Amino acid sequence: QVQLVESGGGLVQPGGSLRLSCVASGFPFGRYYMSWYRQAPGKERELVAEITNRFGTGNYYADSVKGRFTISRDNWKSTVYLQMNSLKPDDTAVYYCKAVSAPDVVSQYTYWGQGTQVTDSS
């Protein structure tokens, strides 16, 4: 069974930090790009960050989080992380983990996590 299980969300004061985790199972994690999306109430789902299956090459960050958020992965643990620093109220959203097969694999698949709530409260 393919699973993307997220944790680490919660309530945090503006300017604080959180680290989201997404533990993957049921697919070859090391051959997938991983990303984090977020969706605030009444807004479109937004790509926050993406990490390749290489050594940090070609990673992507949305302009709104660049310099504050860092995406990383541990292939031994099949886990992708999102370190969120200097949090703002506008960062409040449900954060989703996404896996997509790397371009060099034959079979292409996309998987989504269940989402975890992050709330910044002033």
Side-chain angles (χ1 to χ4, degrees):
Q1 177 65 39
V2 171
Q3 290 189 78
L4 296 171
V5 180
E6 302 174 8
S7 62
L11 179 65
V12 66
Q13 191 176 39
S17 298
L18 286 174
R19 188 171 81 157
L20 305 183
S21 299
C22 175
V23 180
S25 60
F27 65 94
F29 182 83
R31 297 198 289 272
Y32 277 67
Y33 288 14
M34 301 298 298
S35 60
W36 289 93
Y37 286 72
R38 68 185 182 186
Q39 187 167 24
K43 301 185 70 175
E44 298 293 324
R45 187 170 297 189
E46 171 192 20
L47 174 62
V48 176
E50 184 176 68
I51 188 168
T52 72
N53 62 335
R54 306 296 182 182
F55 292 98
T57 60
N59 294 346
Y60 169 85
Y61 294 94
D63 288 342
S64 59
V65 306
K66 195 175 184 68
R68 298 188 297 120
F69 291 9
T70 302
I71 189 170
S72 62
R73 66 191 295 162
D74 185 337
N75 287 347
W76 286 102
K77 298 180 179 179
S78 296
T79 301
V80 62
Y81 304 95
L82 185 67
Q83 179 67 48
M84 304 184 293
N85 298 327
S86 302
L87 282 162
K88 306 174 180 179
D90 286 348
D91 295 320
T92 295
V94 177
Y95 284 72
Y96 298 91
C97 178
K98 178 189 176 185
V100 60
S101 49
D104 59 335
V105 303
V106 174
S107 300
Q108 295 293 305
Y109 298 100
T110 301
Y111 305 112
W112 288 90
Q114 78 286 353
T116 186
Q117 177 70 47
V118 172
T119 302
D120 302 354
S121 181
S122 61

